[in-house]
Amino acid sequence: MSNIPGLELGVPAVMGILNVTPDSFSDGGRFAARDAALRQAERMLAEGAQIIDVGGESTRPGASDVNVAEELDRVIPVIEALADLGDQPISIDTSKADVMREAADAGAVLINDVRALREPGAMDAAVVTGCHVCLMHMQGQPRTMQVDPDYEDVTAEVRDFLIERRDACVRAGVDTSRIILDPGFGFGKQVAHNVELLANLRQLSRLGQPLLVGLSRKSTLGALTGREVDDRVAASVTAAVLAVERGAAIVRVHDVAETVDALKVAGAVMQVEAGI
Ligand code: 7PJ
């Protein structure tokens, strides 16, 4: 599945979301303080998260930009403290080259970039750090991406974009074994696009790279269930199971304990099915 140190081969991994932003859409402000963030990370690790994704820039639709100094201030102390806790893999959710470099110095092993290393200097930073990278599809920019997302064939367009970005990374010097792909649920996509992408996820897993899927508490799940963001646990867990069944290697979630339980059940069934 992945050769990120600390992750088991072939077993789906749960990535716990650690937002260190005052404006994150679901746990806004609550974990902004470093100690609170650390407690949340420790809880997610105790619940079975195998990776912690530290993010200091909210990418929710309409969120305002964060400057480099502010983003570094938010994430670096948290990454340093997490690295001191043990050797569980740490991911940095950023698009900024400087944040990638400093996060890697502080102990991050995965760069999770919703802009797929298209910002100035980001590709070089990914290469020099030697980190794993997660390349995500997005149509448009966070501020405006949900205005009128439009596709002829969402699965084909996402696949072609991910192939293009993977190939650009390999040409720049990132080893193929370090590349993870992500269809970018909710990033410039309508509900029907997200549902279609999840239904067709197998086609993306055939690209041969591990897939990361983030649907946790997203508005598509709100649209399908009529539930507010804090009441989307069952919907989120269901989405994670459906994604893993269709080949996802990593699921990025808020509700770690519930997702870990669900994946134990799904994993047992999938192993019998696969004759393992
Ligand atoms: C994703 C992400 C996702 C990856 C966010 C939210 C919005 N990174 N960062 N994939 N979503 N790789 O958590 O709802 O889907 S921020």
Side-chain angles (χ1 to χ4, degrees):
M1 184 282 293
S2 161
N3 55 356
I4 298 177
L7 286 198
E8 264 178 78
L9 234 76
V11 180
V14 171
M15 169 186 266
I17 301 170
L18 190 65
N19 286 317
V20 199
T21 59
D23 61 352
S24 314
F25 85 102
S26 71
D27 42 357
R30 274 189 282 156
F31 305 116
R34 173 188 155 165
D35 287 353
L38 275 178
R39 277 198 299 278
Q40 169 72 352
E42 283 181 278
R43 190 181 123 183
M44 293 194 291
L45 290 168
E47 290 176 348
Q50 284 120 308
I51 320 176
I52 301 293
D53 188 39
V54 180
E57 181 211 21
S58 176
T59 37
R60 78 190 232 224
S64 54
D65 291 342
V66 178
N67 68 39
V68 182
E70 167 72 20
E71 198 175 325
L72 287 169
D73 252 20
R74 291 178 184 177
V75 299
I76 299 301
V78 172
I79 294 172
E80 283 171 349
L82 273 176
D84 282 346
L85 279 183
D87 47 17
Q88 73 294 319
I90 302 165
S91 159
I92 174 68
D93 187 344
T94 192
S95 298
K96 295 187 182 76
D98 290 346
V99 179
M100 292 172 187
R101 288 172 199 267
E102 295 212 22
D105 282 348
V109 295
L110 170 64
I111 292 168
N112 173 27
D113 183 4
V114 300
R115 295 178 183 80
L117 303 177
R118 288 177 295 164
E119 291 292 300
M123 183 69 83
D124 283 351
V127 174
V128 299
T129 58
C131 281
H132 288 69
V133 297
C134 177
L135 307 172
M136 198 195 78
H137 175 271
M138 165 161 55
Q139 185 180 85
Q141 286 293 320
R143 196 184 288 278
T144 51
M145 65 192 177
Q146 291 307 108
V147 174
D148 188 21
D150 184 38
Y151 300 84
E152 289 265 322
D153 178 339
V154 68
T155 308
E157 289 170 50
V158 167
R159 187 192 56 220
D160 290 350
F161 173 89
L162 293 176
I163 291 171
E164 185 271 313
R165 295 313 297 154
R166 177 192 59 190
D167 292 350
C169 267
V170 171
R171 278 197 306 276
V174 179
D175 198 86
T176 318
S177 68
R178 292 185 180 268
I179 300 174
I180 297 166
L181 303 177
D182 182 341
F185 288 97
F187 285 83
K189 293 166 187 93
Q190 299 182 22
V191 174
H193 297 137
N194 291 312
V195 172
E196 192 174 329
L197 275 172
L198 184 53
N200 291 336
L201 201 68
R202 270 271 160 236
Q203 293 182 33
L204 302 179
S205 72
R206 285 191 207 110
L207 295 177
Q209 309 296 143
L211 291 185
L212 190 153
V213 163
L215 271 157
S216 186
R217 300 188 190 175
K218 284 190 177 170
S219 64
T220 285
L221 304 181
L224 294 173
T225 59
R227 299 214 178 260
E228 291 304 319
V229 67
D230 287 332
D231 294 322
R232 295 178 191 159
V233 180
S236 300
V237 169
T238 305
V241 169
L242 292 168
V244 164
E245 273 193 306
R246 286 159 182 74
I250 304 175
V251 284
R252 183 180 177 278
V253 307
H254 300 86
D255 305 292
V256 172
E258 293 85 348
T259 309
V260 166
D261 275 3
L263 293 187
K264 282 182 181 160
V265 177
V269 174
M270 287 166 65
Q271 281 194 356
V272 171
E273 228 176 358
I276 296 169

